[in-house]
Amino acid sequence: MGKFEEKLTTVTIFNQTFRIRSDDDSQCVQELASYVDKKMSEVAEQTLTVDTLKIAILAALNIADNYVSKREEYEQLERNVSDSTGRLNRFLISSLDKMGSS
């Protein structure tokens, strides 16, 4: 048998049942499905359409927008940490140089 063992999890998204095959544990798959279901329900409440495909696409765009926004926040945080680390490193080197020359 391979390195990963696929598991079959049954989930309900927007009143439709799906059997999902995944390497992730069932709880993780259930949580993801619940998140997608929630987003689709939110979109359905805010729009006049009853077309499930359109609701799914709008929910996917909402999820993608959230992902991109969080990724940009993470990248900015990474840059801030890198900048702070660089300043701290320069300060420590300067302080050690001053201590060594006294």
Side-chain angles (χ1 to χ4, degrees):
M1 187 169 251
K3 187 175 177 181
F4 299 104
E5 183 178 329
E6 287 188 340
K7 300 167 197 78
L8 199 59
T9 304
T10 302
V11 299
T12 302
I13 301 172
F14 209 62
N15 299 319
Q16 294 188 30
T17 302
F18 300 92
R19 292 172 55 112
I20 308 294
R21 188 177 312 275
S22 174
D23 294 335
D24 293 331
D25 65 47
S26 292
Q27 182 178 350
C28 179
V29 174
Q30 289 287 350
E31 288 174 7
L32 292 171
S34 176
Y35 183 75
V36 171
D37 181 65
K38 177 183 169 199
K39 290 298 180 183
M40 287 184 69
S41 294
E42 288 172 1
V43 167
E45 288 175 9
Q46 297 171 1
T47 62
L48 300 176
T49 187
V50 293
D51 183 338
T52 303
L53 178 59
K54 287 181 181 177
I55 290 170
I57 290 169
L58 291 171
L61 287 170
N62 185 305
I63 292 167
D65 179 54
N66 189 16
Y67 167 76
V68 168
S69 175
K70 294 298 179 191
R71 185 185 68 200
E72 288 171 355
E73 287 176 22
Y74 173 78
E75 289 171 353
Q76 182 61 47
L77 181 61
E78 251 185 349
R79 286 189 294 273
N80 291 347
V81 167
S82 180
D83 291 347
S84 294
T85 302
R87 284 193 304 273
L88 179 59
N89 192 30
R90 287 187 298 277
F91 172 77
L92 290 172
I93 290 170
S94 173
S95 295
L96 290 173
D97 285 347
K98 288 177 184 175
M99 288 176 61
S101 63
S102 17

PDB file of all heavy atoms in Angstrom, residues 63-79:
ATOM      1  N   ILE A  63     -14.444  32.911  -1.406  1.00  0.00           N
ATOM      2  CA  ILE A  63     -13.391  32.159  -0.709  1.00  0.00           C
ATOM      3  C   ILE A  63     -12.017  32.524  -1.276  1.00  0.00           C
ATOM      4  O   ILE A  63     -11.058  32.729  -0.526  1.00  0.00           O
ATOM      5  CB  ILE A  63     -13.658  30.639  -0.793  1.00  0.00           C
ATOM      6  CG1 ILE A  63     -14.902  30.289   0.037  1.00  0.00           C
ATOM      7  CG2 ILE A  63     -12.448  29.833  -0.326  1.00  0.00           C
ATOM      8  CD1 ILE A  63     -15.447  28.889  -0.220  1.00  0.00           C
ATOM      9  N   ALA A  64     -11.927  32.629  -2.605  1.00  0.00           N
ATOM     10  CA  ALA A  64     -10.650  32.991  -3.241  1.00  0.00           C
ATOM     11  C   ALA A  64     -10.220  34.393  -2.836  1.00  0.00           C
ATOM     12  O   ALA A  64      -9.038  34.628  -2.549  1.00  0.00           O
ATOM     13  CB  ALA A  64     -10.770  32.883  -4.762  1.00  0.00           C
ATOM     14  N   ASP A  65     -11.160  35.326  -2.765  1.00  0.00           N
ATOM     15  CA  ASP A  65     -10.847  36.693  -2.350  1.00  0.00           C
ATOM     16  C   ASP A  65     -10.319  36.699  -0.918  1.00  0.00           C
ATOM     17  O   ASP A  65      -9.323  37.361  -0.623  1.00  0.00           O
ATOM     18  CB  ASP A  65     -12.099  37.571  -2.463  1.00  0.00           C
ATOM     19  CG  ASP A  65     -11.843  38.991  -2.017  1.00  0.00           C
ATOM     20  OD1 ASP A  65     -10.905  39.633  -2.542  1.00  0.00           O
ATOM     21  OD2 ASP A  65     -12.577  39.469  -1.132  1.00  0.00           O
ATOM     22  N   ASN A  66     -10.962  35.944  -0.059  1.00  0.00           N
ATOM     23  CA  ASN A  66     -10.526  35.840   1.336  1.00  0.00           C
ATOM     24  C   ASN A  66      -9.125  35.239   1.409  1.00  0.00           C
ATOM     25  O   ASN A  66      -8.261  35.726   2.140  1.00  0.00           O
ATOM     26  CB  ASN A  66     -11.518  34.998   2.131  1.00  0.00           C
ATOM     27  CG  ASN A  66     -11.246  35.022   3.609  1.00  0.00           C
ATOM     28  OD1 ASN A  66     -10.532  35.864   4.118  1.00  0.00           O
ATOM     29  ND2 ASN A  66     -11.835  34.084   4.320  1.00  0.00           N
ATOM     30  N   TYR A  67      -8.877  34.204   0.624  1.00  0.00           N
ATOM     31  CA  TYR A  67      -7.561  33.555   0.602  1.00  0.00           C
ATOM     32  C   TYR A  67      -6.472  34.534   0.147  1.00  0.00           C
ATOM     33  O   TYR A  67      -5.424  34.650   0.788  1.00  0.00           O
ATOM     34  CB  TYR A  67      -7.578  32.329  -0.311  1.00  0.00           C
ATOM     35  CG  TYR A  67      -6.198  31.812  -0.613  1.00  0.00           C
ATOM     36  CD1 TYR A  67      -5.489  31.087   0.343  1.00  0.00           C
ATOM     37  CD2 TYR A  67      -5.575  32.083  -1.825  1.00  0.00           C
ATOM     38  CE1 TYR A  67      -4.207  30.635   0.086  1.00  0.00           C
ATOM     39  CE2 TYR A  67      -4.289  31.641  -2.084  1.00  0.00           C
ATOM     40  CZ  TYR A  67      -3.612  30.921  -1.132  1.00  0.00           C
ATOM     41  OH  TYR A  67      -2.338  30.488  -1.375  1.00  0.00           O
ATOM     42  N   VAL A  68      -6.721  35.239  -0.956  1.00  0.00           N
ATOM     43  CA  VAL A  68      -5.729  36.171  -1.492  1.00  0.00           C
ATOM     44  C   VAL A  68      -5.451  37.283  -0.484  1.00  0.00           C
ATOM     45  O   VAL A  68      -4.298  37.667  -0.257  1.00  0.00           O
ATOM     46  CB  VAL A  68      -6.178  36.731  -2.860  1.00  0.00           C
ATOM     47  CG1 VAL A  68      -5.317  37.904  -3.296  1.00  0.00           C
ATOM     48  CG2 VAL A  68      -6.150  35.631  -3.909  1.00  0.00           C
ATOM     49  N   SER A  69      -6.504  37.784   0.146  1.00  0.00           N
ATOM     50  CA  SER A  69      -6.341  38.835   1.147  1.00  0.00           C
ATOM     51  C   SER A  69      -5.480  38.348   2.316  1.00  0.00           C
ATOM     52  O   SER A  69      -4.565  39.044   2.764  1.00  0.00           O
ATOM     53  CB  SER A  69      -7.718  39.271   1.645  1.00  0.00           C
ATOM     54  OG  SER A  69      -7.599  40.189   2.691  1.00  0.00           O
ATOM     55  N   LYS A  70      -5.762  37.143   2.819  1.00  0.00           N
ATOM     56  CA  LYS A  70      -4.988  36.592   3.937  1.00  0.00           C
ATOM     57  C   LYS A  70      -3.545  36.303   3.516  1.00  0.00           C
ATOM     58  O   LYS A  70      -2.615  36.511   4.286  1.00  0.00           O
ATOM     59  CB  LYS A  70      -5.636  35.318   4.483  1.00  0.00           C
ATOM     60  CG  LYS A  70      -6.976  35.539   5.115  1.00  0.00           C
ATOM     61  CD  LYS A  70      -6.872  36.455   6.311  1.00  0.00           C
ATOM     62  CE  LYS A  70      -8.226  36.694   6.934  1.00  0.00           C
ATOM     63  NZ  LYS A  70      -8.218  37.765   7.912  1.00  0.00           N
ATOM     64  N   ARG A  71      -3.356  35.841   2.281  1.00  0.00           N
ATOM     65  CA  ARG A  71      -2.004  35.578   1.789  1.00  0.00           C
ATOM     66  C   ARG A  71      -1.205  36.869   1.724  1.00  0.00           C
ATOM     67  O   ARG A  71      -0.039  36.910   2.125  1.00  0.00           O
ATOM     68  CB  ARG A  71      -2.055  34.914   0.410  1.00  0.00           C
ATOM     69  CG  ARG A  71      -0.665  34.501  -0.093  1.00  0.00           C
ATOM     70  CD  ARG A  71      -0.692  33.953  -1.485  1.00  0.00           C
ATOM     71  NE  ARG A  71      -1.044  35.051  -2.388  1.00  0.00           N
ATOM     72  CZ  ARG A  71      -1.526  34.894  -3.603  1.00  0.00           C
ATOM     73  NH1 ARG A  71      -1.740  33.706  -4.087  1.00  0.00           N
ATOM     74  NH2 ARG A  71      -1.814  35.932  -4.355  1.00  0.00           N
ATOM     75  N   GLU A  72      -1.830  37.950   1.250  1.00  0.00           N
ATOM     76  CA  GLU A  72      -1.149  39.247   1.187  1.00  0.00           C
ATOM     77  C   GLU A  72      -0.807  39.744   2.588  1.00  0.00           C
ATOM     78  O   GLU A  72       0.278  40.282   2.813  1.00  0.00           O
ATOM     79  CB  GLU A  72      -2.013  40.258   0.440  1.00  0.00           C
ATOM     80  CG  GLU A  72      -2.078  39.996  -1.052  1.00  0.00           C
ATOM     81  CD  GLU A  72      -3.105  40.856  -1.780  1.00  0.00           C
ATOM     82  OE1 GLU A  72      -3.858  41.613  -1.127  1.00  0.00           O
ATOM     83  OE2 GLU A  72      -3.155  40.756  -3.019  1.00  0.00           O
ATOM     84  N   GLU A  73      -1.719  39.561   3.546  1.00  0.00           N
ATOM     85  CA  GLU A  73      -1.443  39.943   4.932  1.00  0.00           C
ATOM     86  C   GLU A  73      -0.258  39.146   5.480  1.00  0.00           C
ATOM     87  O   GLU A  73       0.611  39.700   6.158  1.00  0.00           O
ATOM     88  CB  GLU A  73      -2.668  39.689   5.819  1.00  0.00           C
ATOM     89  CG  GLU A  73      -3.800  40.659   5.614  1.00  0.00           C
ATOM     90  CD  GLU A  73      -5.018  40.298   6.457  1.00  0.00           C
ATOM     91  OE1 GLU A  73      -4.872  39.591   7.482  1.00  0.00           O
ATOM     92  OE2 GLU A  73      -6.128  40.717   6.080  1.00  0.00           O
ATOM     93  N   TYR A  74      -0.225  37.861   5.177  1.00  0.00           N
ATOM     94  CA  TYR A  74       0.868  37.001   5.634  1.00  0.00           C
ATOM     95  C   TYR A  74       2.195  37.444   5.022  1.00  0.00           C
ATOM     96  O   TYR A  74       3.208  37.530   5.725  1.00  0.00           O
ATOM     97  CB  TYR A  74       0.565  35.543   5.276  1.00  0.00           C
ATOM     98  CG  TYR A  74       1.712  34.615   5.551  1.00  0.00           C
ATOM     99  CD1 TYR A  74       1.983  34.176   6.845  1.00  0.00           C
ATOM    100  CD2 TYR A  74       2.546  34.170   4.526  1.00  0.00           C
ATOM    101  CE1 TYR A  74       3.045  33.329   7.108  1.00  0.00           C
ATOM    102  CE2 TYR A  74       3.611  33.324   4.786  1.00  0.00           C
ATOM    103  CZ  TYR A  74       3.856  32.910   6.074  1.00  0.00           C
ATOM    104  OH  TYR A  74       4.908  32.071   6.332  1.00  0.00           O
ATOM    105  N   GLU A  75       2.189  37.733   3.724  1.00  0.00           N
ATOM    106  CA  GLU A  75       3.419  38.165   3.056  1.00  0.00           C
ATOM    107  C   GLU A  75       3.911  39.486   3.632  1.00  0.00           C
ATOM    108  O   GLU A  75       5.117  39.681   3.808  1.00  0.00           O
ATOM    109  CB  GLU A  75       3.195  38.256   1.548  1.00  0.00           C
ATOM    110  CG  GLU A  75       3.059  36.898   0.890  1.00  0.00           C
ATOM    111  CD  GLU A  75       2.616  36.956  -0.561  1.00  0.00           C
ATOM    112  OE1 GLU A  75       2.269  38.068  -1.061  1.00  0.00           O
ATOM    113  OE2 GLU A  75       2.592  35.895  -1.206  1.00  0.00           O
ATOM    114  N   GLN A  76       3.000  40.409   3.948  1.00  0.00           N
ATOM    115  CA  GLN A  76       3.389  41.678   4.557  1.00  0.00           C
ATOM    116  C   GLN A  76       3.970  41.433   5.947  1.00  0.00           C
ATOM    117  O   GLN A  76       4.972  42.025   6.324  1.00  0.00           O
ATOM    118  CB  GLN A  76       2.184  42.627   4.639  1.00  0.00           C
ATOM    119  CG  GLN A  76       2.541  43.987   5.234  1.00  0.00           C
ATOM    120  CD  GLN A  76       3.583  44.742   4.430  1.00  0.00           C
ATOM    121  OE1 GLN A  76       3.494  44.837   3.206  1.00  0.00           O
ATOM    122  NE2 GLN A  76       4.592  45.278   5.098  1.00  0.00           N
ATOM    123  N   LEU A  77       3.356  40.548   6.704  1.00  0.00           N
ATOM    124  CA  LEU A  77       3.865  40.191   8.031  1.00  0.00           C
ATOM    125  C   LEU A  77       5.261  39.586   7.925  1.00  0.00           C
ATOM    126  O   LEU A  77       6.158  39.936   8.703  1.00  0.00           O
ATOM    127  CB  LEU A  77       2.915  39.224   8.723  1.00  0.00           C
ATOM    128  CG  LEU A  77       3.297  38.773  10.128  1.00  0.00           C
ATOM    129  CD1 LEU A  77       3.369  39.960  11.083  1.00  0.00           C
ATOM    130  CD2 LEU A  77       2.304  37.746  10.640  1.00  0.00           C
ATOM    131  N   GLU A  78       5.466  38.723   6.940  1.00  0.00           N
ATOM    132  CA  GLU A  78       6.791  38.134   6.702  1.00  0.00           C
ATOM    133  C   GLU A  78       7.825  39.217   6.418  1.00  0.00           C
ATOM    134  O   GLU A  78       8.934  39.175   6.942  1.00  0.00           O
ATOM    135  CB  GLU A  78       6.726  37.166   5.508  1.00  0.00           C
ATOM    136  CG  GLU A  78       6.839  35.738   5.873  1.00  0.00           C
ATOM    137  CD  GLU A  78       6.889  34.850   4.632  1.00  0.00           C
ATOM    138  OE1 GLU A  78       6.628  35.295   3.490  1.00  0.00           O
ATOM    139  OE2 GLU A  78       7.196  33.672   4.826  1.00  0.00           O
ATOM    140  N   ARG A  79       7.458  40.188   5.571  1.00  0.00           N
ATOM    141  CA  ARG A  79       8.381  41.284   5.254  1.00  0.00           C
ATOM    142  C   ARG A  79       8.691  42.102   6.498  1.00  0.00           C
ATOM    143  O   ARG A  79       9.840  42.474   6.736  1.00  0.00           O
ATOM    144  CB  ARG A  79       7.801  42.177   4.156  1.00  0.00           C
ATOM    145  CG  ARG A  79       7.851  41.556   2.770  1.00  0.00           C
ATOM    146  CD  ARG A  79       7.478  42.552   1.688  1.00  0.00           C
ATOM    147  NE  ARG A  79       6.093  42.980   1.766  1.00  0.00           N
ATOM    148  CZ  ARG A  79       5.065  42.349   1.200  1.00  0.00           C
ATOM    149  NH1 ARG A  79       5.274  41.244   0.501  1.00  0.00           N
ATOM    150  NH2 ARG A  79       3.840  42.828   1.317  1.00  0.00           N
TER     151      ARG A  79
END
